[in-house]
Amino acid sequence: MLKSGIYMQLAPVLFGCGTLARAGEKAKETGITKALLVADPALLRTGRAEELAALLAGAGISATLWADVETDTPEHTVKAAAAIARAAQIDGVVAIGGGSTLDTAKAIAVVAANSDDILREIPAYLSGRKSYPVQPFPLLLIPTTSGTGSESTFVAVVTSDVLDCKIGLPCPPAFAIVDPCLTLGVPPLVTAFTGMDAFSHANEALTEQRNTPHADLLAYEAIRLVSRWLPVAVKDGSNLEAREHLALASNYAGIAFNESGVHLGHTVAHALGHALHIPHGICCALVTPALIEFTAKAHPEKIRRIGDAMGQPVHSDNPADTGRRVAALVRTLARETGLPSLAAQGFAKEQILAVKPAVYGHPLSTAYDGVITEQDVEHVLSSMYDNYL
């Protein structure tokens, strides 16, 4: 019997090369007249932020540019931008950039419409125990990397000062523009770990408690696209066909995990990212094979289908063997794209195992559709370190 569940997509997505040109039109349709334009410093150097400001101006929308985004969305950046947004009396937020930029924009939309106090009670808003006093400003999100899928998810991942960890602050977008042409300049390493981030979203969505057949459909297609096109894009960043397929994969995976969810793998990635400042996508890439070995025990058929999606079917009736063989495929993909091991990055195994208390029993970990013991967490962390060399 198929599982019951709700099919959903938060906001419309305009997809295709050249669609950035319609940003002014779409921002106007969402009701924005005075925007905070959020970008990262790199976008200033490419001229994309100025191009977007001109498009907004062409639609009659004034824009205040803020480009002090930092990796992992620390609270102080959100507060600083929110103060600027309030002073400018904005009524909407438009963001262009990678995952941290989009997450920062989402958090700004909440905090600027309310107050900095929102950041002190993130768990209450994430759990639904509290609602925002004022609705967040409408958001138009434009990704320039293919990985986070943040343009189609309901949370902004921020680094909380109060909790001393990374956590999701709810704020759904109003509209997204996914223009693959914007990813043509992304360097090989960033292309690799953002692509594997999308793979990890799809993988975890398959075995989360709220999983649905609709999420599965998107997740398996995202895995197929990443497996086929990520090595191509890493080798030749100007290959537009590869960039188009990866942009689509990232968005599909974002919709899948927004509908279903992520679990243990992302708890590990958030903990390691916070403690050791390892890029999120690299953490996701390295933990995913270890997680596949673990989840194959309870979900062997779903893991077997990952092999099918990767174009390398695994024929085994043994769940542990299925897990090992599919995990090996994912490790090969990550190595092929040049992602370094934790040891090669200079980390000791003890540093990795030290995050176990932050992972075991974390609410995100317990979203897994199965039982997780403390020993399981230690085994996943150990495998993540030992088996990717």
Side-chain angles (χ1 to χ4, degrees):
M1 175 178 283
L2 294 176
K3 289 179 68 176
S4 61
I6 299 172
Y7 300 162
M8 59 185 292
Q9 181 170 329
L10 290 179
V13 176
L14 175 60
F15 178 89
C17 276
T19 51
L20 176 65
R22 298 180 64 187
E25 165 199 342
K26 293 304 176 184
K28 188 174 183 178
E29 288 178 6
T30 65
I32 299 174
T33 63
K34 296 181 70 175
L36 183 71
L37 175 50
V38 178
D40 62 58
L43 264 292
L44 294 181
R45 294 191 291 271
T46 67
R48 287 293 190 186
E50 290 79 1
E51 179 185 357
L52 180 53
L55 291 168
L56 295 173
I61 299 170
S62 62
T64 299
L65 176 62
W66 181 80
D68 291 329
V69 170
E70 296 180 20
T71 302
D72 295 329
T73 314
E75 272 193 24
H76 69 86
T77 60
V78 176
K79 292 175 181 177
I84 291 170
R86 293 188 202 105
Q89 297 183 312
I90 62 106
D91 58 14
V93 178
V94 178
I96 182 168
S100 291
T101 301
L102 303 192
D103 281 347
T104 301
K106 288 167 146 179
I108 293 167
V110 176
V111 175
N114 290 276
S115 72
D116 293 355
D117 291 342
I118 294 292
L119 296 170
R120 301 185 61 82
E121 298 185 86
I122 293 177
Y125 297 109
L126 182 59
S127 66
R129 296 196 311 272
K130 292 190 70 173
S131 299
Y132 299 131
V134 179
Q135 281 292 105
F137 291 120
L139 280 157
L140 171 62
L141 301 180
I142 307 169
T144 58
T145 59
S146 297
T148 69
S150 185
E151 73 280 356
S152 289
T153 66
F154 82 101
V155 294
V157 179
V158 302
T159 300
S160 168
D161 292 343
V162 174
L163 301 172
D164 192 29
C165 70
K166 293 169 73 172
I167 188 171
L169 177 68
C171 189
F175 199 91
I177 294 176
V178 179
D179 185 338
C181 288
L182 299 178
T183 68
L184 287 169
V186 177
L189 180 61
V190 179
T191 297
F193 69 65
T194 52
M196 291 305 296
D197 188 17
F199 191 109
S200 74
H201 295 155
N203 171 62
E204 291 177 49
L206 293 168
T207 53
E208 206 264 0
Q209 289 175 5
R210 295 172 299 161
N211 166 263
T212 70
H214 179 251
D216 284 3
L217 178 70
L218 295 169
Y220 286 124
E221 179 63 2
I223 287 169
R224 185 187 73 82
L225 291 171
V226 171
S227 302
R228 169 68 179 85
W229 294 104
L230 185 58
V232 178
V234 169
K235 184 176 181 180
D236 178 10
S238 65
N239 187 309
L240 184 55
E241 186 177 13
R243 293 297 191 182
E244 286 180 320
H245 284 100
L246 289 176
L248 196 60
S250 175
N251 187 250
Y252 281 177
I255 296 169
F257 96 76
N258 183 74
E259 178 180 300
S260 177
V262 290
H263 49 83
L264 178 58
H266 269 64
T267 317
V268 169
H270 288 166
L272 288 173
H274 182 65
L276 303 176
H277 306 292
I278 306 170
H280 178 73
I282 291 181
C283 291
C284 287
L286 301 186
V287 75
T288 294
L291 184 65
I292 283 173
E293 290 173 336
F294 168 69
T295 56
K297 301 173 189 176
H299 303 278
E301 180 59 21
K302 288 204 165 188
I303 300 307
R304 185 193 64 76
R305 287 188 61 192
I306 291 176
D308 293 344
M310 295 181 75
Q312 300 186 63
V314 171
H315 302 291
S316 176
D317 294 328
N318 183 307
D321 182 53
T322 298
R324 283 192 297 269
R325 291 168 67 178
V326 175
L329 296 177
V330 180
R331 289 190 182 101
T332 298
L333 175 63
R335 291 191 194 101
E336 186 180 358
T337 59
L339 292 179
S341 69
L342 291 166
Q345 295 173 65
F347 297 108
K349 185 174 180 179
E350 291 73 22
Q351 291 176 282
I352 307 306
L353 293 176
V355 305
K356 184 176 71 172
V359 175
Y360 178 64
H362 189 283
L364 190 59
S365 292
T366 58
Y368 168 62
D369 190 13
V371 176
I372 297 176
T373 67
E374 189 171 0
Q375 185 178 13
D376 292 329
V377 173
E378 184 169 343
H379 182 76
V380 166
L381 291 170
S382 293
S383 177
M384 179 184 183
Y385 191 89
D386 293 337
N387 295 330
Y388 187 88
L389 300 173

